[in-house]
Amino acid sequence: MGIVRNPGSTSSTRRHSTDATPTRKRAGSTPSGDGTPVKIHRPDADLSGMEAVSPADPSPSVITITPLHSAQVTPLHPTIKTLERYSLRAPANLPAANAQGLRVFKNRNYVDIAPGEIVLVRETGIAGEYRAALVSESAALGPALFFDPRSKIWSLERPRPLPDPGKVIDIDIDQLIREVRTDYAEKNRVHTGNDDSFEYTAAQEGTLVARGLKQFSPEQAAIIRSELKAVESIFSDANHVIGLKYPDADAVYKSFFGADHRAVMPRFTDAVGRGLALSREYQGVWGGEKFIGVDADNNSAAWMYKRDFHGRLFINRNYMQPGLLSLSLGHEMLHTNRVDRFQAIGPNAADYFYLDSRLGRLLDGDSLAVYDVPERGVSEAIMRGGLTVDYLKSFSDDHDAFLFGVSDYLGIGDDLDLQAAVDLFNANPQMRAHLAVNNADSLICAAKSMQVLHQSKAQYAWLDSLIED
């Protein structure tokens, strides 16, 4: 669930239970919400010996015998007697005919004159006219052949004209359906999932006022685009830190994933990479339709629904201010898995717990450490085993995601009460690391901290270069 964050300081104290709703049902609770073409390999056919021999001249001195490997002279078909000297048996591995009825192999064109029988043809000087030919002939000297698109056969006679179009309907239904769907998609792209169960649920929070960036005001659309660039920058800088392996980064990892952070680093690296790809796709040609404007009275800046295949981000227009939206958008992107029309696949992160520096007093332990990203101090306290029931309840009354996360990790039943689950979480550092690296707030705030580290390194490097100069 997206949250409203003050620049560089805080996050919301209220979340929607619809965000990252678990797919299971706990005892005593109500069910949650909605839940290449095959390539055929064809070996290259050797048709070099497909020239048929004419038996017309009996003189031994002029008869040439050519061995035929993949094609043989076939018995005469009653309707193609004048094609006798050109007729060949079609090899099984000859490429299929194209839309013009031509089987193209090694820059030669072959056509079907009967089932299993083919003829080499060459195009004459007249466009679209083909005549039978032999491989040894420099020009097509055989009779002209005509393609019948209905039978897919070439013959010496021109095909009969199609019946009166007014009496016979000859339509490629599949192609027509594809064209209609494509045309509809292009004209109605911002209406993907229009009025479905997710929009209905969001409408309970407020009034839906915009589907797609084109329906936001120009100023609001510009804010969203700017904040999307900020999200991309967060994931991009975090990706650089991971690749550069800064020694200082270990302290950041420990703050967000605990003492066992090294065990979950591959997952964090993967999540950052997926977040970066998603942030770019949401700025792409199909991303614009996935922003829904809502005028809501709640204090959530943005939210989405994990089971929404369209991957729509619902934006509360009451909190559309530059600098406030980026972390919420990054948080919500991390909830996604498959999204229609996107190539990127999200990390499918959950909402086990949230990070809010204003509520640090509800955590066990000493006062929070102060960092440039205030959520880091909260995470550090939680990763030391300081989570409390009061802290979790300050955000929501729905704790199923956290309960399921604990029970799944330990392989026990789903009937844990919240206090028992918190105690188990605090007692197990491996579990804390596992849940944190699959927790949307931990991932986006860790990435933000990585960005701060990266920018400080770049700034110091620039200052050092000035001193050296």
Side-chain angles (χ1 to χ4, degrees), residues 47-69:
L47 303 181
S48 59
M50 284 205 314
E51 178 180 349
V53 180
S54 170
D57 188 351
S59 173
S61 61
V62 296
I63 295 178
T64 301
I65 301 177
T66 304
L68 300 178
H69 301 292

Side-chain angles (χ1 to χ4, degrees), residues 13-271:
T13 60
R14 180 176 176 271
R15 311 296 175 113
H16 289 272
S17 61
T18 52
D19 177 33
T21 306
T23 57
R24 298 178 295 175
K25 182 173 78 72
R26 299 184 67 236
S29 66
T30 57
S32 58
D34 314 304
T36 41
V38 178
K39 296 182 179 179
I40 302 175
H41 174 68
R42 298 180 182 276
D44 289 339
D46 183 6
L47 303 181
S48 59
M50 284 205 314
E51 178 180 349
V53 180
S54 170
D57 188 351
S59 173
S61 61
V62 296
I63 295 178
T64 301
I65 301 177
T66 304
L68 300 178
H69 301 292
S70 57
Q72 302 175 357
V73 177
T74 62
L76 292 180
H77 191 281
T79 63
I80 56 170
K81 292 181 180 180
T82 58
L83 294 176
E84 175 183 353
R85 67 194 302 260
Y86 301 101
S87 176
L88 302 167
R89 185 182 302 280
N93 57 0
L94 185 66
N98 60 23
Q100 288 73 44
L102 302 173
R103 295 174 178 259
V104 183
F105 181 78
K106 293 186 177 179
N107 296 321
R108 295 174 183 169
N109 296 320
Y110 298 89
V111 299
D112 294 294
I113 57 173
E117 298 176 42
I118 59 173
V119 164
L120 171 67
V121 296
R122 290 195 176 98
E123 190 171 8
T124 65
I126 302 175
E129 182 183 79
Y130 289 87
R131 289 183 175 273
L134 298 176
V135 174
S136 59
E137 295 175 343
S138 59
L141 304 178
L145 293 174
F146 304 94
F147 178 57
D148 185 346
R150 291 167 295 188
S151 64
K152 310 299 183 184
I153 295 296
W154 293 68
S155 65
L156 299 171
E157 299 180 357
R158 291 184 181 275
R160 295 180 181 180
L162 293 174
D164 183 356
K167 297 180 181 179
V168 177
I169 299 177
D170 185 14
I171 299 175
D172 185 341
I173 297 298
D174 291 336
Q175 179 62 26
L176 180 61
I177 292 173
R178 284 193 295 271
E179 290 175 357
V180 170
R181 285 177 174 171
T182 299
D183 183 61
Y184 179 83
E186 288 298 322
K187 292 180 179 178
N188 301 274
R189 281 168 54 180
V190 299
H191 298 292
T192 301
N194 189 18
D195 292 330
D196 62 5
S197 61
F198 300 111
E199 286 197 1
Y200 176 79
T201 301
Q204 309 310 303
E205 297 288 340
T207 305
L208 271 62
V209 292
R211 290 188 178 93
L213 285 180
K214 292 181 180 180
Q215 294 187 9
F216 284 85
S217 70
E219 296 78 14
Q220 292 170 342
I223 290 173
I224 293 175
R225 292 190 178 97
S226 174
E227 294 298 283
L228 284 173
K229 290 298 295 182
V231 176
E232 179 185 358
S233 178
I234 289 172
F235 286 122
S236 179
D237 288 347
N239 196 52
H240 283 308
V241 172
I242 293 171
L244 294 172
K245 298 181 179 180
Y246 290 143
D248 299 351
D250 272 359
V252 180
Y253 299 142
K254 186 175 181 180
S255 294
F256 286 98
F257 309 118
D260 279 26
H261 61 87
R262 290 185 178 85
V264 297
M265 274 306 298
R267 166 65 177 169
F268 176 63
T269 301
D270 178 71

Side-chain angles (χ1 to χ4, degrees), residues 322-388:
L324 293 180
L325 195 57
S326 57
L327 283 183
S328 294
L329 292 178
H331 173 115
E332 300 307 324
M333 289 178 192
L334 294 171
H335 285 315
T336 62
N337 188 11
R338 285 276 185 183
V339 176
D340 68 318
R341 302 186 184 277
F342 279 13
Q343 293 183 0
I345 301 175
N348 197 33
D351 275 336
Y352 295 128
F353 53 86
Y354 299 101
L355 305 177
D356 190 333
S357 61
R358 294 173 300 179
L359 300 174
R361 67 185 184 280
L362 299 176
L363 297 170
D364 284 341
D366 301 330
S367 59
L368 303 182
V370 178
Y371 296 102
D372 290 337
V373 178
E375 290 83 3
R376 179 179 171 184
V378 178
S379 177
E380 197 170 79
I382 293 174
M383 287 298 102
R384 288 199 301 262
L387 185 62
T388 65

